[in-house]
Amino acid sequence: MADDQPSIQVDLSGQVAIVTGASRGLGESMALALGKAGAKVACVARNAEKLKATVEAIQAAGGEAEAFPCDVTKGSDVDGVIDAVTEKWERLDILVNNAGINRDMLLMKMTEEEWDSVIETNLKGMFLFTKAASRPMMQNRYGRVINITSVVGFMGNPGQANYSASKAGMIGFTRTMARELGKRKITVNAVAPGLIETDMTGAMPSEILNEMVKQRVPARRLGTPHEVAQAVLYLASPAAAYITGHTLAIDGGLTA
Ligand code: NAP
């Protein structure tokens, strides 16, 4: 996967990472990049079968990984993953809060269920995982938390009131956590992808997507999951120690 695309060199040997939403799309690419850099990777999503493929891809690349099936909206599931990971690998260095969903609908037709499910997964899931992960990170006086938000958290987008509110909320949470956890040497940053080639954008009508890229993306193309993963890899590295509370757009200039 993405072996032909340029990659940065980062050494995460001896470190342990959790990636939520690791079974496909951006999360799969991030888990693979962290695994190739030497981190032991705990791959989280609800569907255990699909997680297996990510774990096998990391192992095939010479890395170490294990699947931890979990619903990020359930506190007991989340606490169970943190306990299992720290028991197995005795530390936790990196958390990537990537699991996310969208349920797009114009406001007048949006149901309470569509609102709640997006807020619960995207915002509450990040809160639960960050809270549980901060304990071992604080004990170790080291940590890297990376929250995957979206450019719609800055820009808004018709039909995405629930999704854009959750993504803007993630940015506020990121800034607050940077302030709370900074003195323990834990950095907390966000990455805001624009239009990236995944199932999420694949579900959009291609003529609308192509027109958006042509009119609004200076780079004139979709981004790749690999390009987003490289930014995550940098923010996850010891080299990024003095960056915290920042949101990095990976969007080909869409929000420039
Ligand atoms: P995707 O292909 O739909 O993958 C979503 C992942 O999240 C899957 O692994 C899914 O696995 C997991 N997930 C969903 N609900 C979950 C839950 N309750 N508990 C545990 N895992 C859950 O999405 P993607 O396109 O890769 O996007 C990944 C992240 O990037 C999302 O936060 C998204 O908002 C953000 N983003 C994407 C784009 C883009 O262009 N694709 C742009 C901006 C931001 P299960 O269903 O098995 O649980």
Side-chain angles (χ1 to χ4, degrees), residues 163-183:
Y163 184 75
S164 58
S166 74
K167 294 299 182 182
M170 291 180 80
I171 295 170
F173 181 87
T174 299
R175 290 192 164 138
T176 299
M177 285 307 107
R179 291 177 191 279
E180 281 192 23
L181 301 174
K183 61 179 176 294

Side-chain angles (χ1 to χ4, degrees), residues 20-27 44-47 50 70-73 97-101 121-122 148-151 163 167 192-201:
T20 70
S23 59
R24 56 177 191 265
L26 300 183
V44 169
R46 289 165 301 183
N47 188 317
K50 290 194 179 147
C70 157
D71 183 339
V72 300
T73 67
N97 285 307
N98 164 77
I101 59 166
T121 306
N122 300 4
I148 310 305
T149 176
S150 164
V151 290
Y163 184 75
K167 294 299 182 182
L195 293 165
I196 311 296
E197 274 177 42
T198 61
D199 292 350
M200 225 180 235
T201 46

